[in-house]
Amino acid sequence: MTRSNRREAGRRRLAMRLPQMRTLIMQACDPWQLELFEAYQMAVEARDRLRRRRFNLKLVREYDETCVEIEQHVMGAMPLPTSTTASSPNPRP
């Protein structure tokens, strides 16, 4: 899988995994965010490969933990929505 395909696959997978952030994830274009999408896809692919082979359950758990950590990083890397009413100055009379 090419790098750009892996990034987009990771983006779609994260959008499904984090539905509350789906719109932000699908609109993301910051290089740091794109790197997280790619890393997530790579971790999921490795975990699933190991899980299918029943190779090493401890390693599968470690990849599960890595996926959760990346999900947390993605949540932290997304801009928080701002309220226009909270940030606008009081109107003058």
Side-chain angles (χ1 to χ4, degrees), residues 3-84:
R3 186 174 195 172
S4 62
N5 288 345
R6 193 172 283 123
R7 284 181 178 176
E8 289 309 307
R11 178 194 304 265
R12 289 188 305 274
R13 191 179 296 271
L14 279 161
M16 289 180 3
R17 182 78 175 124
L18 305 169
Q20 71 278 18
M21 303 191 77
R22 185 171 292 143
T23 301
L24 291 171
I25 290 169
M26 296 310 291
Q27 294 172 348
C29 59
D30 184 274
W32 166 244
Q33 295 164 333
L34 300 177
E35 292 292 326
L36 286 172
F37 300 160
E38 182 179 2
Y40 188 74
Q41 183 63 25
M42 291 171 66
V44 167
E45 288 172 1
R47 180 201 61 200
D48 291 349
R49 232 180 355 261
L50 291 169
R51 189 178 282 159
R52 277 191 304 273
R53 294 180 186 159
R54 298 176 191 219
F55 179 70
N56 183 339
L57 293 178
K58 182 180 179 197
L59 198 53
V60 170
R61 282 192 301 273
E62 287 179 20
Y63 273 105
D64 276 335
E65 291 171 11
T66 299
C67 291
V68 169
E69 289 172 8
I70 294 171
E71 290 168 10
Q72 292 170 348
H73 284 296
V74 167
M75 288 188 285
M78 295 292 138
L80 296 175
T82 57
S83 170
T84 55

